[in-house]
Amino acid sequence: MALETKPFDIAEHLENPKDIRAFLQEVLETGDESDFIHALSIAARAMGMTEVAKKAGVTRASLYKSLSQGGNPKFQTISKVTKALGCKLAVA
């Protein structure tokens, strides 16, 4: 009998703002810029792209495009999305 599996999607496990903050913090500490942009995309999917786009003041389509693989979002977009996710960027 074949073992049936499905792809792991961390967005399904980010259930609240605390989870999202912890996830983004971990990626900032261990990853690079492209990892962080990918993490923002995952967190936005977890919260709901439409809701995040609305809070960030961008269209849903532009949010998908900015945070897609190969996307090159402006710092302003990253900042707005981070705030929409209930987080803030800081230099320590």
Side-chain angles (χ1 to χ4, degrees):
M1 180 176 206
L3 180 63
E4 193 173 319
T5 63
K6 69 176 197 167
F8 178 77
D9 184 2
I10 195 164
E12 295 175 4
H13 302 278
L14 300 176
E15 298 176 349
N16 56 55
K18 184 178 177 182
D19 292 344
I20 290 171
R21 278 191 302 276
F23 172 64
L24 293 176
Q25 183 64 42
E26 179 67 24
V27 173
L28 273 174
E29 291 175 1
T30 61
D32 62 15
E33 298 84 14
S34 64
D35 292 335
F36 184 68
I37 293 168
H38 181 68
L40 283 177
S41 176
I42 293 168
R45 281 191 304 107
M47 182 179 276
M49 282 291 211
T50 302
E51 180 181 346
V52 173
K54 190 176 193 178
K55 286 181 177 182
V58 298
T59 67
R60 192 170 144 266
S62 71
L63 183 59
Y64 269 111
K65 184 177 178 181
S66 293
L67 299 180
S68 68
Q69 186 174 356
N72 190 17
K74 294 181 178 180
F75 180 78
Q76 180 181 18
T77 302
I78 293 170
S79 178
K80 286 180 179 182
V81 171
T82 303
K83 287 178 186 173
L85 292 168
C87 302
K88 62 182 175 180
L89 297 173
V91 177

